[in-house]
C-alpha cells in the first residue's frame, strides 16, 4: 500500500516516542486518520467527544509525564475548538503538539466551506506554527515542531491541507488538486450598489428570456423572498433548486421545487443542473462546484447583496447586486412567458423522488431507521415549528424528511458545518420566539459535546424539544472514510451506548429512551406535548448510509474498495443499502 503523508507524519511521531494522541475525526483530517489506522499497533488514538477535551487531555498528559502531548482536530470548527485547551498548555508551560486539517491547497482563497486559516488563528498560542504545503516537508517540520514544543515548553502547531495529507509521502513537487476549471474572477459591471440599474435588469432579463431550459437556485440570501422566487420561477417555467441553508425559501412540497442540491440533495436537482442551459442564482454562492452546471454550457444570472460573492463558482453574464426580494420584483415584469414542458418534466421527477423518500420512512424496521425517526418528528411537529440541526448524517435525514410547509423554519451551520450547534441554536431561538415550537434534531456525537446546555434550557424554563439520532458513532465521518476508499477507523464508540434521556430526567425535564420503532411515534408526540424542556433519545441503525441523490462511479468504486480492504460492518451495510433500494423500487412500481 502506497505510503501517504498522513502515514509519514504518524511514523515520525512514533520515532519521537509518541504513543498516544487525543482527537476527533473529521473530513479535514481523513489522511491523518488513515495514518493512525495504519499504525494503530504503535500509537493509540483516543476518541473524545469534543476537540476542546482533546487539547486538555494532551496538556494533562504533558504535565503528568513531562513528555509531548499530542492532539488532533479537523479543519475549521474542529481546530477552533482546540484553542481553550491549547492556551492552558501555553500558560502552564506544557509541551503540546496540535495537528489540524486545512482545505485543499487549490481551493484556498475561494471562500470554500470551512476555510479557516488556522495557522493565523493560532499565531498567539503557538511557539511554532506552520501550514504544510509540500509533502517533502515531512518529516523535517515534524522534528522542528516537536523540538520547539519540548525546549520552549509550549505549543507547536502543524496544519495539513487535505490534498497534502493523502499525497504520496516524499513527493516533490506535487500536483494541486483544484476543481479542474479555470478561476472565475469578479465579473465586469459588479458594483456595491443597493439596487441594480434598469440596464442591469434588462441585461439579466434578456439572458433569462433567451433560455429554453431555465433553473433557479436559491440559498439563504433568498429567505423571506419566497413569493418573489415563486413568481419568477412561474414566469420562467423554471424548477426551483434549494441549498440546504435555503431549505425554507419555498415549501418542500411546492410543485415548483425539485428539492436540495449537493451530497444531501435530490436526484432531480442534480439532473436538472446537468440539463439546464440557463441558471438564475438567488442569494447563494453555492460552494460545491462539482454539482453546478459546466461553465461552458450554461448562462448565469446571479443576485446577491454582496458583490464580492458574485461569480465565485461560475462566470456570471448578468450580475445583479441588491436585496433579493426587491431585485426579483423589479425583474419580474421584464420576463416573457414560455413553454412549461421543461418544468412539467421535472415536476414528475420530483414527485417520484418524494415517493421514494416516503418509502424509506418504514416503521417496521429494527433497529430503527433514522429516516423513520425524522419522519415521526415531521408528522408530529407544528406547521410553524422551527427545526435546528447539527452537522453530520442528521443533516441528511433532516434535509430529506423534514418538510418545510406553512411557517416552518430550518437552521444549521452551513458553510462552517460545525458539530453541536443544534442545541444552543434551539435555546437562543426559543428565547427569541417563546410562543413557537422549537426542535433540535441532533446526533449523539454533537449532543454529547454541549449537552450541558440542556440544563440551561431547564433553568430558563425554555420548552425546547431535543430529538437525538443516536447511532453511537460519528456517522458522517464513517461514511466519508468509506467513500475515500479507507476502512472505517476511530468513528464508533464502544458499548455501552449513552442514555441521554437519563441526563434529561436528571435535569428535571422529560426524558424518554426509545429502541422499539412501535414506541417511537408516541414518544415523539409526548415530548412535543410536554409543557417544558423534553428529550427523546432514539437508538437508530448505525449502518444506514446517507446515500447521495445520485451515486457517481467514483463514489461506488471507493465504496467497493473499502469493503474489499476489510470494512468491519459490511454485511449490515449491504443489507441496509439493499433494503433501501428495494423500498425505492417498490415505490416506483406502484406509481
Amino acid at each position: 500500500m502506497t505510503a501517504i503523508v498522513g502515514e509519514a507524519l504518524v511514523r515520525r511521531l512514533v520515532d519521537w516516542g509518541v504513543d498516544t494522541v487525543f482527537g476527533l475525526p473529521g473530513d479535514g483530517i481523513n489522511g491523518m486518520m488513515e495514518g493512525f489506522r495504519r499504525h494503530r499497533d504503535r500509537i493509540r488514538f483516543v476518541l473524545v467527544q469534543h476537540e476542546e477535551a482533546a487539547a486538555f487531555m494532551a496538556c494533562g498528559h504533558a504535565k503528568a509525564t513531562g513528555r509531548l502531548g499530542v492532539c488532533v482536530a479537523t479543519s475549521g470548527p474542529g481546530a477552533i475548538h482546540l484553542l481553550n485547551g491549547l492556551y492552558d498548555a501555553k500558560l502552564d508551560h506544557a509541551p503540546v503538539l496540535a495537528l489540524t486539517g486545512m482545505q485543499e491547497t487549490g481551493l484556498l482563497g475561494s471562500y470554500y466551506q470551512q476555510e479557516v486559516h488556522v495557522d493565523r488563528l493560532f499565531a498567539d498560542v503557538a511557539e511554532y506554527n506552520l501550514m504544510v504545503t509540500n509533502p517533502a516537508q515531512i518529516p523535517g517540520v515534524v522534528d522542528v515542531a516537536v523540538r520547539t514544543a519540548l525546549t520552549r515548553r509550549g505549543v507547536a502547531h502543524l496544519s495539513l491541507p487535505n490534498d497534502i495529507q493523502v499525497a504520496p509521502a516524499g513527493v516533490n513537487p506535487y500536483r494541486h488538486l483544484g476543481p479542474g476549471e479555470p478561476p472565475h474572477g469578479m465579473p465586469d459591471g459588479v458594483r456595491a450598489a443597493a439596487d441594480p440599474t434598469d440596464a442591469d435588469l434588462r441585461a439579466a432579463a434578456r439572458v433569462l428570456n433567451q433560455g429554453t431550459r431555465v433553473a433557479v437556485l436559491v440559498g439563504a440570501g433568498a429567505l423571506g423572498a419566497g413569493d418573489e422566487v415563486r413568481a419568477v420561477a412561474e414566469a420562467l417555467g423554471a424548477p426551483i433548486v434549494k441549498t440546504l441553508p435555503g431549505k425554507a425559501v419555498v415549501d418542500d412540497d411546492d410543485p415548483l421545487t425539485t428539492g436540495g442540491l449537493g451530497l444531501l440533495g435530490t436526484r432531480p436537482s442534480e439532473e436538472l443542473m446537468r440539463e439546464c442551459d440557463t441558471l438564475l442564482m438567488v442569494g447563494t454562492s453555492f460552494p460545491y462546484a462539482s454539482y453546478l452546471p459546466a461553465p461552458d454550457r450554461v448562462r448565469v444570472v446571479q443576485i446577491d447583496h454582496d458583490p464580492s460573492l458574485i461569480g465565485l463558482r461560475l462566470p456570471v453574464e448578468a450580475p445583479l447586486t441588491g436585496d433579493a426580494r426587491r431585485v426579483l420584483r423589479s425583474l419580474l415584469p421584464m420576463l416573457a412567458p414560455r413553454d412549461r414542458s421543461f418544468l412539467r418534466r421535472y415536476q414528475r421527477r420530483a414527485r417520484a423522488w418524494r415517493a421514494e423518500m416516503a418509502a424509506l420512512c418504514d416503521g417496521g424496521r429494527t433497529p430503527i431507521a433514522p429516516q423513520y425517526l425524522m419522519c415521526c418528528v415531521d408528522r408530529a411537529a407544528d406547521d410553524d415549528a422551527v427545526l435546528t440541526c447539527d452537522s453530520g448524517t442528521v443533516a441528511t435525514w433532516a434535509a430529506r424528511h423534514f418538510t418545510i410547509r406553512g411557517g416552518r423554519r430550518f437552521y444549521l451551520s452551513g458553510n462552517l458545518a460545525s458539530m453541536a450547534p443544534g442545541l444552543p441554536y434551539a435555546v437562543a431561538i426559543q428565547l427569541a420566539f417563546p410562543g413557537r415550537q422549537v426542535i433540535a434534531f441532533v446526533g449523539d456525537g454533537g449532543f454529547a459535546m454541549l449537552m450541558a446546555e440542556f440544563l440551561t434550557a431547564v433553568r430558563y424554563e425554555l420548552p425546547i424539544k431535543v430529538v437525538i439520532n443516536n447511532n453511537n458513532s460519528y456517522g458522517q465521518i464513517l461514511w466519508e472514510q468509506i467513500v475515500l476508499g479507507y476502512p472505517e477507523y476511530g468513528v464508533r464508540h464502544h458499548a455501552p451506548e449513552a442514555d441521554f434521556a437519563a441526563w434529561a430526567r436528571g435535569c428535571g425535564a422529560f426524558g424518554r429512551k426509545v429502541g422499539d420503532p412501535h414506541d417511537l411515534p408516541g414518544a415523539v408526540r409526548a415530548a412535543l406535548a410536554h409543557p417544558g424542556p423534553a428529550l427523546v433519545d432514539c437508538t437508530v441503525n448505525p449502518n444506514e448510509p446517507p446515500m447521495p441523490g445520485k451515486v457517481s462511479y467514483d463514489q461506488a468504486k471507493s465504496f467497493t474498495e473499502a469493503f474489499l480492504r476489510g470494512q468491519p460492518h459490511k454485511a449490515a451495510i449491504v443489507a441496509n443499502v439493499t433494503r433501501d433500494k428495494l423500498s425505492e423500487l417498490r415505490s416506483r412500481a406502484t406509481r
Side-chain angles (χ1 to χ4, degrees), residues 316-340:
V316 175
E317 188 171 343
L320 298 173
T321 303
D323 174 76
R325 177 182 289 178
R326 292 200 305 269
V327 174
L328 290 170
R329 284 178 178 173
S330 299
L331 185 63
L332 182 60
M334 302 180 182
L335 302 178
R338 78 218 27 241
D339 178 76
R340 299 171 67 84

Side-chain angles (χ1 to χ4, degrees), residues 22-26 28-29 32 51 54 71-82 98-102:
F22 305 94
L24 197 158
I29 55 170
M32 289 191 216
E51 291 93 345
C71 55
V72 59
T74 191
S75 55
I80 293 168
H81 285 157
L82 290 175
L99 303 170
T100 64
M102 176 66 73

Side-chain angles (χ1 to χ4, degrees), residues 527-580:
L528 296 183
H530 185 74
L535 182 149
V536 175
D537 181 6
C538 180
T539 299
V540 299
N541 190 342
N543 298 310
E544 181 72 23
M547 299 295 286
K550 286 178 72 71
V551 180
S552 71
Y553 170 79
D554 288 341
Q555 288 168 328
K557 181 173 179 288
S558 294
F559 195 82
T560 302
E561 288 174 348
F563 272 37
L564 294 176
R565 289 177 186 169
Q567 176 61 32
H569 299 274
K570 58 186 175 184
I573 292 170
V574 169
N576 283 299
V577 172
T578 303
R579 183 161 44 192
D580 289 348

Side-chain angles (χ1 to χ4, degrees), residues 184-500:
H184 306 299
M186 183 74 73
D188 293 336
V190 173
R191 294 173 300 279
D195 285 305
T197 66
D198 285 344
D200 293 332
L201 290 166
R202 286 195 297 272
R206 185 162 52 251
V207 172
L208 295 171
N209 287 334
Q210 290 172 355
T212 59
R213 301 185 303 277
V214 184
V216 179
L217 175 62
V218 298
L223 290 170
D227 290 343
E228 289 76 14
V229 167
R230 291 194 79 265
V232 167
E234 284 276 11
L236 294 170
I240 300 169
V241 180
K242 304 185 291 181
T243 69
L244 192 52
K247 181 176 171 66
V249 172
V250 297
D251 288 356
D252 281 319
D253 56 3
D254 191 293
L256 290 173
T257 187
T258 57
L261 183 65
L263 188 64
L264 281 59
T266 73
R267 184 174 60 249
S269 292
E270 192 166 343
E271 292 170 347
L272 176 59
M273 290 297 104
R274 300 290 176 264
E275 193 173 351
C276 68
D277 62 14
T278 307
L279 181 64
L280 172 59
M281 300 174 69
V282 185
T284 181
S285 56
F286 191 75
Y288 308 107
S290 62
Y291 288 93
L292 294 173
D296 59 352
R297 63 170 189 79
V298 67
R299 303 176 72 186
V300 181
V301 175
Q302 186 173 355
I303 302 171
D304 205 289
H305 75 285
D306 185 347
S308 70
L309 299 179
I310 293 179
L312 286 176
R313 316 301 170 202
L314 293 169
V316 175
E317 188 171 343
L320 298 173
T321 303
D323 174 76
R325 177 182 289 178
R326 292 200 305 269
V327 174
L328 290 170
R329 284 178 178 173
S330 299
L331 185 63
L332 182 60
M334 302 180 182
L335 302 178
R338 78 218 27 241
D339 178 76
R340 299 171 67 84
S341 59
F342 184 65
L343 173 61
R344 287 195 292 270
R345 184 193 318 164
Y346 275 92
Q347 287 176 324
R348 290 192 294 271
R349 294 182 185 182
R351 286 194 295 270
W353 171 265
R354 291 174 192 135
E356 290 173 19
M357 292 301 99
L360 298 178
C361 294
D362 182 358
R365 292 167 57 174
T366 303
I368 295 172
Q371 299 96 321
Y372 180 60
L373 170 60
M374 187 71 262
C375 288
C376 287
V377 174
D378 179 59
R379 294 164 184 164
D382 293 344
D383 282 345
D384 67 346
V386 179
L387 187 79
T388 65
C389 184
D390 274 356
S391 300
T393 56
V394 289
T396 302
W397 317 133
R400 294 179 176 171
H401 299 284
F402 182 74
T403 307
I404 295 296
R405 61 173 181 266
R408 285 185 174 181
R409 291 295 178 263
F410 175 79
Y411 300 98
L412 82 169
S413 176
N415 287 317
L416 188 60
S418 176
M419 290 181 68
L423 178 57
Y425 277 14
V427 169
I429 293 171
Q430 191 74 85
L431 281 167
F433 301 99
R436 294 187 72 167
Q437 184 183 74
V438 181
I439 306 167
F441 183 64
V442 299
D444 56 295
F447 183 77
M449 288 180 173
L450 296 175
M451 60 190 289
E453 302 311 322
F454 188 79
L455 184 57
T456 302
V458 174
R459 287 173 171 165
Y460 283 86
E461 300 180 341
L462 301 175
I464 64 167
K465 317 303 177 189
V466 178
V467 178
I468 301 176
N469 182 87
N470 194 338
N471 55 22
N472 205 35
S473 66
Y474 295 105
Q476 187 70 30
I477 309 306
L478 183 158
W479 298 109
E480 287 170 341
Q481 288 181 355
I482 293 175
V483 168
L484 268 177
Y486 299 144
E488 65 172 73
Y489 181 68
V491 289
R492 297 188 194 246
H493 289 292
H494 300 299
E497 177 185 308
D499 183 356
F500 296 112

